[in-house]
Amino acid sequence: MRTWPSPAIPKLPGRGPQVCLFDTSAQAFRPTSPGEVATLYVCGITPYDSTHLGHAATYVAFDLLQRAWIDAGHRVHYVQNITDVDDPLLARAAATGQDWQELAAREEARFVDDMTELRLRAPDEWVSVVESIPHVLAAIERLQEAGAVYDLDGDLYFSVQSDPRFGAISNLDEEAMIELSAERGGDPDRLGKRHPLDAVLWRHQRPGEPSWPSPFGAGRPGWHIECVAIAVDELGMPFDVQGGGRDLVFPHHEIGASQGHVLEESWPFARLFSHAGMVGYQGEKMSKSLGNLVFVSQLRADHDPMAIRLALLAHHYRADWEWTDADLTAATKRLERWRTAVSWPTGPPADKVLDEVRRHLADDLDAPAALDVIDAWAREQQVRGGDDPGAPGVVSRLSDALLGVAL
């Protein structure tokens, strides 16, 4: 699919250090250690509503990772999916009397506008589930050949017991997995399943639902195999980082990794699993099911997108936090201070600023600490000024290149 235009990333002197991230599966900080090309897969939206700040916070986090990789001298191969046919989308279309394809197309377009205005680097491949169905079918056939698939009343299921490493991503016990599966789109209580956590691969056609022909009968894909087929097809295994919100650790990333292990007869699915925290609002996690959403498109109508981005960067990507109007007020003032500071013809030396911002971003994408470094330079500029004619330009370029904040 057509993506949005990626922003130009200014070149900086020197190179950034190797980036370390917290690996969910290892429960430890680990270097990302990519080769010449750093590979990243981040799970995309289900386009049945507008982009909210929880989405934006996750995508900004992995945009920071890409910028740090590029600064360290790597080329980046970034893949993101769009779940453009799934239960929530079909349910919203039915409830509102809309055509599901028109609903998806409208929300995808709004998402593109939001990502463009927030200056996120576009995926190199932005792949929809609908256009990847041939790859999904091929993956299911290979899983069948591996003996990992069974039929239940026309639906095909993946047996999690076919992967001896199942559970190694989330490190959860079975009871916790079953509870989360029930909360997050699974069907652990379905009669006839060999194991409560087995996941549907192909859902046979139901009345009123879209379907596609397949060797298994008309139907549509299950959730997890979609991302597996896209990631393996576009990036191969193992790729460097699997990213997404922390609510995807289980079941999505856990079961997806197991399907990948069996599909490719190799391990790991990804070298490192990185997850962003949850953004709350009005005392609850921001989510479409709860309806407590703050939409990026609405904020953009009245606020500079760079202030929105700064408001997100003020919180560490792995932290859970709650959005308030004060976040945007503080970010708007910060943006004004920075822009004023870089508008001067000279300023305090900025070499150390660049070094420290690089160091903080390489340390598990510590954006709040990086913002503090630029804040300190801007305060010095305001109080004492400086005589380095190149400093304002260096700070402006590093803010753009490393933080994605255009001054």
Side-chain angles (χ1 to χ4, degrees):
M1 292 185 67
R2 182 179 60 85
T3 62
W4 55 93
S6 284
I9 298 179
K11 293 188 179 296
L12 300 172
R15 281 192 175 181
Q18 183 182 59
V19 181
C20 290
L21 295 177
F22 184 81
D23 181 4
T24 301
S25 59
Q27 287 293 291
F29 295 95
R30 296 179 53 227
T32 55
S33 302
E36 179 183 351
V37 179
T39 49
L40 171 67
Y41 187 94
V42 178
C43 295
I45 59 166
T46 301
Y48 66 94
D49 211 338
S50 302
T51 317
H52 61 70
L53 285 174
H55 293 136
T58 294
Y59 297 125
V60 165
F62 292 103
D63 187 62
L64 281 185
L65 172 61
Q66 294 175 71
R67 290 168 180 272
W69 271 342
I70 291 168
D71 186 51
H74 303 287
R75 289 188 294 114
V76 175
H77 188 180
Y78 172 34
V79 178
Q80 187 184 121
N81 74 301
I82 314 167
T83 307
D84 58 349
V85 58
D86 198 19
D87 292 343
L89 172 64
L90 300 178
R92 176 63 60 85
T96 56
Q98 301 177 77
D99 178 85
W100 66 274
Q101 292 171 302
E102 292 177 359
L103 172 60
R106 184 177 69 247
E107 296 307 333
E108 287 163 16
R110 203 190 314 256
F111 177 76
V112 164
D113 289 343
D114 290 338
M115 297 299 99
T116 302
E117 292 299 312
L118 290 177
R119 300 191 75 251
L120 274 81
R121 184 177 182 273
D124 298 286
E125 280 85 32
W126 196 37
V127 187
S128 80
V129 168
V130 169
E131 67 183 349
S132 67
I133 284 177
H135 303 285
V136 170
L137 295 176
I140 294 173
E141 289 183 309
R142 288 171 58 194
L143 289 172
Q144 280 184 318
E145 293 168 2
V149 179
Y150 63 92
D151 184 293
L152 178 58
D153 299 329
D155 296 332
L156 297 186
Y157 276 84
F158 171 75
S159 170
V160 295
Q161 293 173 313
S162 64
D163 174 28
R165 296 181 184 271
F166 176 72
I169 308 304
S170 61
N171 299 294
L172 296 171
D173 61 36
E174 187 171 293
E175 182 179 357
M177 289 183 188
I178 290 173
E179 182 177 346
L180 286 174
S181 176
E183 293 175 4
R184 298 174 178 174
D187 56 358
D189 296 328
R190 182 174 180 180
L191 296 177
K193 290 176 64 174
R194 296 177 183 174
H195 190 284
L197 297 172
D198 290 347
V200 67
L201 293 165
W202 188 255
R203 176 182 164 92
H204 79 81
Q205 185 176 15
R206 266 70 164 177
E209 290 189 358
S211 64
W212 289 263
S214 84
F216 334 114
R220 59 183 173 91
W223 177 23
H224 315 300
I225 191 60
E226 302 161 352
C227 280
V228 174
I230 293 169
V232 170
D233 185 62
E234 300 292 348
L235 296 174
M237 276 179 55
F239 52 94
D240 287 309
V241 174
Q242 164 81 76
R246 197 174 59 246
D247 54 345
L248 296 181
V249 176
F250 193 90
H252 190 46
H253 288 173
E254 184 73 72
I255 293 177
S258 284
Q259 291 174 349
H261 298 160
V262 177
L263 182 68
E264 294 295 295
E265 298 182 5
S266 66
W267 178 89
F269 181 63
R271 295 184 179 93
L272 191 149
F273 291 80
S274 178
H275 295 96
M278 298 291 99
V279 180
Y281 184 58
Q282 298 175 333
E284 299 279 357
K285 184 193 86 168
M286 197 177 294
S287 72
K288 293 176 181 178
S289 61
L290 294 174
N292 61 336
L293 302 177
V294 179
F295 294 116
V296 173
S297 56
Q298 292 174 345
L299 290 179
R300 287 198 292 110
D302 299 311
H303 301 279
D304 190 317
M306 294 298 90
I308 301 170
R309 183 167 178 129
L310 273 174
L312 298 173
L313 292 174
H315 302 273
H316 192 276
Y317 82 99
R318 285 194 298 111
D320 293 338
W321 56 281
E322 183 160 342
W323 173 267
T324 68
D325 291 341
D327 287 285
L328 194 50
T329 299
T332 299
K333 292 178 179 178
R334 173 177 263 155
L335 183 63
E336 292 172 355
R337 290 196 303 272
W338 288 13
R339 284 179 171 165
T340 298
V342 301
S343 70
W344 292 19
T346 61
D351 290 347
K352 187 176 179 181
V353 176
L354 176 57
D355 290 343
E356 290 187 356
V357 168
R358 279 172 160 161
R359 176 173 61 83
H360 288 307
L361 292 181
D363 181 15
D364 198 32
L365 305 178
D366 191 351
L371 301 190
D372 288 344
V373 172
I374 300 179
D375 280 343
W377 181 88
R379 283 195 298 271
E380 186 175 355
Q381 174 78 304
Q382 182 180 19
V383 173
R384 288 187 291 273
D387 57 7
D388 185 342
V394 170
V395 173
S396 180
R397 287 192 298 276
L398 76 88
S399 172
D400 189 348
L402 299 178
L403 298 174
V405 178
L407 302 178

